[in-house]
Amino acid sequence: MSANHPVPGLLIRQAIQDDCPLILDFIRELAEYEKLSDKVVATVDDLAEHLFGDVPRASVLIAEIANQAAGFALYFHNFSTFLGQPGIYLEDLFVRPTHRGQGIGRALLGKLAQRAIEMNCGRIEWAVLDWNQPAIDFYRSLGAIPLDEWIVNRITGDNLARLADNSS
Amino acid sequence: MSANHPVPGLLIRQAIQDDCPLILDFIRELAEYEKLSDKVVATVDDLAEHLFGDVPRASVLIAEIANQAAGFALYFHNFSTFLGQPGIYLEDLFVRPTHRGQGIGRALLGKLAQRAIEMNCGRIEWAVLDWNQPAIDFYRSLGAIPLDEWIVNRITGDNLARLADNSS
């Protein structure tokens, strides 16, 4: 489950359970970049349970360059009712600042595109913050299309509980 | 897997494989409402394979009122790295026009909220078209929050293939 890439010294491999502390570091570093650090409550145990337990909820690719952990991609399957096919949803893509500009993000996405095609998933989708112009430009350069007309909604906490209560 | 709701005569039940033709009808009716009919290529066989096959990719709730099929909700799990927990992603929610205004959409969401809480999923997320004001108002009334700052991106077709090719 690993392959060499045109980026010199780059190895992209599937994460294993021992990577959970590293994955949590990546999640925290990504949240810091997104100015959302206060939202991170995940623990190593949470990741071990939900990524490597009985019902794995997502998969993780780790990028290493010269044996240093440089970045990661965390993804799971979604399902398109219009296509009648599963797709891939990329929840997190992150490359550490000192490793940027070398093509590592592109290589992670490329590996994910290979996975998508191998699994007959016709598309990859992900969300980007509207002020993250470097990322937006990068995704545009790959041919990704922004689905501007769609607004993601979220219900949680007390509102979720109230919705559940009123339906019993 | 069924329950009665405050809406008189309403039954919400888990879909079975025999419902695939009905589910495809709902998908097509939803696409027509969203002005996206040309995007629907799914078949009954696709739905049977991916909803009821070896690796189910999504689950479906069917709403029936007085034994008539009135609407559906199709959902799957996503995963929040910040929470370290799975959530529920609602791909499709649809109530047939003749059955609207009776609380069926709310009942479908309520049943889904119950599922979310039972499964320790702290949130439900879904996307709405920015011109669909009745839906936006309805979701707002439930306490859902629009994640306006996130833009969903998609890569597909030739661009996906090119991304995969350049990484081998």
Side-chain angles (χ1 to χ4, degrees):
Chain A
M1 296 295 266
S2 66
N4 287 306
H5 290 265
V7 181
L10 178 63
L11 177 82
I12 295 182
R13 63 173 177 81
Q14 197 77 24
I16 60 171
Q17 187 165 341
D18 285 350
D19 291 312
C20 286
L22 172 65
I23 295 167
L24 187 57
D25 285 344
F26 281 141
I27 291 167
R28 288 176 171 152
E29 291 167 42
L30 173 60
E32 189 175 1
Y33 177 74
E34 290 179 333
K35 309 185 200 328
L36 294 169
S37 290
D38 59 312
K39 306 293 186 198
V40 179
V41 298
T43 66
V44 168
D45 286 348
D46 290 334
L47 297 179
E49 176 183 351
H50 294 297
L51 301 179
F52 301 98
D54 293 341
V55 185
R57 297 296 185 184
S59 299
V60 181
L61 296 173
I62 305 273
E64 292 176 343
I65 194 151
N67 294 319
Q68 285 199 307
F72 85 126
L74 184 144
Y75 61 97
F76 47 79
H77 284 282
N78 60 10
F79 183 74
S80 164
T81 49
F82 289 4
L83 300 182
Q85 300 289 339
I88 283 182
Y89 189 86
L90 174 63
E91 178 73 13
D92 283 351
L93 177 70
F94 178 72
V95 176
R96 286 180 158 157
T98 52
H99 293 290
R100 287 185 195 154
Q102 301 172 65
I104 296 173
R106 194 185 197 297
L108 280 163
L109 275 172
K111 172 65 78 176
L112 199 57
Q114 289 176 354
R115 291 275 160 87
I117 289 168
E118 286 162 12
M119 296 186 291
N120 281 321
C121 294
R123 62 198 197 188
I124 303 175
E125 293 168 320
W126 65 95
V128 62
L129 282 161
D130 58 7
W131 53 257
N132 191 356
Q133 200 61 45
I136 291 169
D137 292 343
F138 168 56
Y139 298 143
R140 193 75 50 102
S141 77
L142 302 175
I145 293 171
L147 306 182
D148 293 319
E149 72 279 24
W150 290 95
I151 303 165
V152 177
N153 278 256
R154 176 183 294 166
I155 193 162
T156 185
D158 289 346
N159 289 313
L160 182 68
R162 193 173 309 118
L163 187 58
D165 276 349
N166 286 352
S167 303
S168 56
Chain B
M1 297 295 267
S2 66
N4 288 306
H5 291 264
V7 182
L10 177 64
L11 178 81
I12 295 181
R13 63 174 176 82
Q14 197 77 23
I16 58 170
Q17 187 164 341
D18 285 350
D19 290 313
C20 285
L22 171 66
I23 295 168
L24 186 56
D25 285 345
F26 281 141
I27 291 168
R28 288 177 172 151
E29 291 166 43
L30 173 60
E32 188 175 3
Y33 177 74
E34 290 179 334
K35 310 186 199 330
L36 294 168
S37 290
D38 59 312
K39 306 293 186 197
V40 179
V41 298
T43 65
V44 167
D45 286 349
D46 291 334
L47 297 179
E49 176 183 352
H50 294 297
L51 302 179
F52 301 99
D54 292 339
V55 185
R57 298 294 185 185
S59 299
V60 180
L61 296 173
I62 305 273
E64 292 175 342
I65 194 150
N67 294 320
Q68 286 196 308
F72 85 127
L74 184 144
Y75 62 98
F76 47 80
H77 284 283
N78 58 11
F79 183 75
S80 165
T81 49
F82 288 3
L83 300 183
Q85 299 290 340
I88 284 182
Y89 189 86
L90 174 63
E91 177 72 12
D92 284 350
L93 178 69
F94 178 73
V95 176
R96 285 180 159 156
T98 52
H99 293 289
R100 288 188 195 152
Q102 301 172 64
I104 296 173
R106 195 186 195 296
L108 280 164
L109 276 172
K111 173 64 80 176
L112 199 57
Q114 289 177 352
R115 291 275 160 88
I117 289 168
E118 286 162 13
M119 296 186 293
N120 282 320
C121 294
R123 60 197 200 188
I124 304 176
E125 293 169 319
W126 65 95
V128 62
L129 282 160
D130 59 6
W131 53 256
N132 191 356
Q133 200 60 46
I136 290 168
D137 292 343
F138 168 56
Y139 298 142
R140 193 75 52 102
S141 76
L142 301 176
I145 293 172
L147 307 182
D148 293 320
E149 72 279 24
W150 291 95
I151 304 166
V152 177
N153 278 257
R154 175 182 293 165
I155 193 163
T156 185
D158 289 346
N159 289 313
L160 183 67
R162 192 172 310 118
L163 187 60
D165 276 351
N166 286 353
S167 304
S168 57

